[in-house]
Amino acid sequence: VQLQASGGGSVRSGGSLRLSCTASRSAFSINVMGWYRQVPGKQRELVATITNAGSTNYSDSVKGRFTISKDNAKNTVYLQMNSLKPEDTAVYYCNADYFRVASWGRQIDWGQGTQVTVSS
């Protein structure tokens, strides 16, 4: 699956951004899609995930501020980020977790990152 992420940018603290991630195949065939983030020198960390059935999961640091959603018709997952804080500054990556028939096994693909910068 090819994933195209967009929507990053620079905002002031308290501002909002919406990230989008469009998959090259039907979202119905993807078990879980998620957003992760990474800052230099640190491991990539989970931000939020959404399952094929629509169940969501959030890291404690973004719970109540970020919302993950999906539009199956557009094969797109969104991350609405509100009340942004400087500590949300990172490169954000989307991924897709699905069963790959060619290898008959689990496959996780990543999109290119999109930079989010929050200034105080």
Side-chain angles (χ1 to χ4, degrees):
V1 178
Q2 292 184 332
L3 301 168
Q4 182 68 43
S6 62
S10 296
V11 295
R12 301 292 292 270
S13 182
S16 297
L17 284 172
R18 188 175 81 156
L19 305 183
S20 300
C21 177
T22 300
S24 60
R25 61 185 282 181
S26 171
F28 281 114
S29 63
I30 298 173
N31 296 325
V32 183
M33 292 190 73
W35 287 98
Y36 292 72
R37 65 188 182 188
Q38 188 171 23
V39 297
K42 292 190 176 182
Q43 286 190 331
R44 194 170 296 185
E45 65 174 8
L46 168 73
V47 176
T49 60
I50 186 165
T51 70
N52 194 341
S55 297
T56 58
N57 180 54
Y58 298 92
S59 69
D60 288 342
S61 62
V62 306
K63 203 171 292 184
R65 299 187 297 123
F66 292 11
T67 302
I68 189 170
S69 62
K70 64 190 179 82
D71 184 334
N72 289 331
K74 297 182 178 180
N75 298 340
T76 299
V77 171
Y78 303 99
L79 185 68
Q80 178 66 44
M81 305 185 294
N82 298 329
S83 303
L84 282 161
K85 304 175 182 179
E87 50 263 44
D88 294 318
T89 295
V91 178
Y92 284 70
Y93 298 89
C94 62
N95 80 354
D97 183 341
Y98 62 103
F99 181 83
R100 188 167 181 261
V101 173
S103 58
W104 205 253
R106 183 185 185 188
Q107 177 76 22
I108 297 176
D109 291 331
W110 293 88
Q112 92 289 1
T114 184
Q115 177 71 45
V116 171
T117 302
V118 185
S119 58
S120 58

